[in-house]
Amino acid sequence: MLIQQKDELNRLNEVKDRFFSIISHDLRNNLTTMKLYFDLISHPNYKPENQREITLQIAGSVQNTIDLLENLLVWASSQIKGTPMHVQALDVYAIAKENMELLAGNAAHKQIEMTNRVPSELIAFGDKDMINLVIRNLLSNAIKFTGTNGFISITGEKVGSQVLIRVTDNGVGISNEHIERLFDQHIHPTTKGTANEKGTGLGLMLCKDFVQRNGGRIDVESEKGKGTTFTITLPATHG
């Protein structure tokens, strides 16, 4: 029992260290970036010729901070006190539609076309809140790493006893070296989005954790300069 308690304390210390590392590094960086933008546009000599570009950058920084805070709170809560599971039938088309609508503004800023190609009758089983967070993170990442006038699609199909959900973009792609480290909670990613968006890697770490808790898996296929596809596999039946 003492050994178990010691291991649990060590794990919670690692969670605490990671938590404060993210707060001190990434959250501070996002807020500093926003302050610089506001300082720039409030300067007496500022000329508004590039106002749209600056506005997009500010909006991106705000959205990055929102994403970071949401993922940080969910991750810390799941690590410290666990996250209860509420498995139910999931309307995959409706989940894709809901999250695309939530992020439509982000995509519009970069003139990215998002398409929901999930069959309307497709049903998977899992915790709705968890899978919503997974889809939202994957869409958010796709927007970050897709350039202006790009496209993003969500597709789905039933294969035997499983449902496959794919989030595909034609963005910058991921090198083989980075693919191997994508879901590693101990590595801080350094890649920035096409509009210099920043991330912590927490989102993908949560995606992997939540998909696995729902009896599924997450895979990625990518090629530099040709886009990326994340595939979520979930049970097609309950129990």
Side-chain angles (χ1 to χ4, degrees):
M1 184 178 294
L2 286 174
I3 293 174
Q4 288 178 340
Q5 290 176 343
K6 179 182 177 182
D7 290 342
E8 180 65 11
L9 283 173
N10 287 335
R11 187 186 69 81
L12 290 175
N13 275 328
E14 289 180 5
V15 171
K16 178 201 67 177
D17 291 343
R18 175 71 163 156
F19 187 92
F20 284 115
S21 171
I22 291 167
I23 290 176
S24 63
H25 183 271
D26 297 277
L27 186 55
R28 182 184 178 87
N29 281 351
N30 279 347
L31 293 175
T32 300
T33 300
M34 281 188 280
K35 182 180 183 302
L36 290 174
Y37 287 141
F38 286 122
D39 286 346
L40 175 63
I41 63 177
S42 63
H43 194 278
N45 296 327
Y46 172 71
K47 297 180 180 180
E49 286 87 351
N50 296 321
Q51 185 168 343
R52 183 179 183 277
E53 181 180 347
I54 293 294
T55 302
L56 292 179
Q57 291 173 339
I58 293 173
S61 290
V62 172
Q63 187 61 51
N64 289 340
T65 304
I66 293 170
D67 291 344
L68 169 59
L69 288 173
E70 179 181 11
N71 284 329
L72 187 60
L73 292 171
V74 172
W75 173 75
S77 175
S78 68
Q79 292 293 305
I80 293 172
K81 62 181 180 182
T83 303
M85 294 279 294
H86 303 287
V87 177
Q88 60 183 292
L90 304 175
D91 182 336
V92 180
Y93 176 88
I95 286 177
K97 181 175 182 290
E98 176 183 343
N99 286 286
M100 282 186 161
E101 289 174 349
L102 281 173
L103 296 171
N106 301 33
H109 280 312
K110 298 174 76 172
Q111 298 175 354
I112 294 171
E113 178 184 352
M114 293 197 296
T115 306
N116 185 356
R117 296 176 178 168
V118 177
S120 58
E121 72 282 359
L122 188 63
I123 299 296
F125 281 84
D127 181 283
K128 186 175 182 179
D129 290 337
M130 289 186 179
I131 302 306
N132 258 321
L133 184 138
V134 170
I135 297 295
R136 191 159 60 251
N137 268 288
L138 294 181
L139 276 176
S140 181
N141 274 353
I143 292 169
K144 287 178 183 178
F145 295 102
T146 299
T148 303
N149 297 318
F151 73 82
I152 297 168
S153 68
I154 301 183
T155 60
E157 63 175 327
K158 182 180 178 183
V159 179
S161 61
Q162 298 178 322
V163 170
L164 275 58
I165 307 166
R166 297 184 179 92
V167 179
T168 300
D169 65 66
N170 68 336
V172 297
I174 310 168
S175 67
N176 290 332
E177 177 188 359
H178 280 96
I179 285 177
E180 294 176 0
R181 302 183 298 172
L182 270 183
F183 303 102
D184 193 325
Q185 63 178 315
H186 302 296
I187 295 176
H188 245 330
T190 57
T191 307
K192 293 184 179 180
T194 57
N196 289 320
E197 302 100 326
K198 298 175 182 177
T200 63
L202 264 183
L204 287 178
M205 190 176 74
L206 274 172
C207 287
K208 180 181 179 181
D209 182 28
F210 281 4
V211 170
Q212 287 180 341
R213 290 193 196 190
N214 281 274
R217 57 178 291 169
I218 184 168
D219 300 288
V220 57
E221 295 179 19
S222 186
E223 187 175 345
K224 284 291 274 185
K226 295 187 177 181
T228 302
T229 295
F230 282 91
T231 301
I232 306 162
T233 304
L234 293 173
T237 58
H238 183 34

